[in-house]
């Protein structure tokens, strides 16, 4: 009796998580396929190496580049790849990061959590890479340059150094950004 009462909630939670993760993944894949949006965010990064005017498209427009010119320079070497290779590489790097981050959870919990991140992979956004910054950025403050040079708001985590009065780390963030 006692073992079943202890195990049943865990099994129920795993079944619910797996079901939810699979449904979200299938729904997202179907949607992005129907609107031809696989790699939509990554495509704007790739196009930054193929257009003379980074900001020629209005925000909210497909392929609008919403990042800093420094980010465009950083991804520039990758934009020399054909679009399918660029997206495959971008998605593979993000997938590897997510697998590595979720590995401590084990397969039963980590795999459905990975599936919950597939929308990130489908679009090719930068959020998986931001997770690495959150993990390592407090030890290596220069890493905060990446989110700050892509999107300003995720860099708010670097304000932790200012709040804590860790001025050396705050200066490293300022200099590298």
């Amino acid at each position: 009796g006692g073992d079943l009462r202890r195990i049943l909630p865990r099994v129920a939670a795993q079944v619910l998580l797996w079901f939810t993760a699979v449904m979200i993944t299938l729904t997202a894949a179907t949607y992005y396929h129907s609107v031809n949006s696989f790699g939509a965010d990554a495509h704007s990064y790739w196009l930054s190496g193929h257009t003379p005017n980074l900001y020629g498209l209005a925000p909210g427009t497909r392929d609008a580049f919403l990042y800093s010119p420094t980010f465009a320079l950083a991804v520039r070497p990758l934009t020399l790849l054909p679009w399918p290779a660029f997206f495959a590489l971008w998605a593979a790097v993000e997938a590897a990061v997510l697998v590595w981050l979720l590995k401590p959870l084990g397969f039963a919990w980590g795999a459905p959590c990975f599936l919950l991140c597939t929308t990130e992979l489908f679009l090719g956004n930068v959020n998986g890479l931001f997770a690495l910054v959150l993990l390592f950025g407090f030890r290596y403050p220069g890493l905060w340059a990446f989110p700050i040079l892509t999107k300003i708001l995720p860099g708010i985590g670097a304000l932790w150094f200012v709040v804590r009065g860790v001025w050396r780390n705050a200066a490293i963030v300022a200099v590298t950004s």
Side-chain angles (χ1 to χ4, degrees), residues 97-124:
V97 165
L98 293 171
V99 166
W100 183 77
L101 288 170
L102 294 169
K103 187 177 179 184
L105 296 178
F107 182 81
W109 293 101
C113 288
F114 179 86
L115 290 176
L116 291 172
C117 298
T118 54
T119 55
E120 168 73 16
L121 298 174
F122 292 160
L123 290 174

Side-chain angles (χ1 to χ4, degrees), residues 2 6-7 9 32-33 41 45 48 72-73 78 102 112 126 133 148:
R6 194 180 86 245
I7 294 171
Y32 292 130
H33 178 71
D41 291 342
Y45 316 151
S48 72
L73 286 173
L78 295 176
L102 294 169
V126 293
V133 173
I148 291 170

Side-chain angles (χ1 to χ4, degrees), residues 1 9 19 30 42 83 89 99 109 119 128-129 136 147 159 177:
F19 176 78
T30 302
W83 160 242
L89 178 62
V99 166
W109 293 101
T119 55
L129 301 174
F136 293 111
L159 289 178
S177 298

Side-chain angles (χ1 to χ4, degrees), residues 14-40:
Q14 284 182 332
V15 168
L16 180 62
L17 178 61
W18 273 96
F19 176 78
T20 303
V22 168
M23 292 307 297
I24 288 173
T25 300
L26 292 174
T27 302
T30 302
Y31 172 75
Y32 292 130
H33 178 71
S34 72
V35 296
N36 195 27
S37 288
F38 277 105

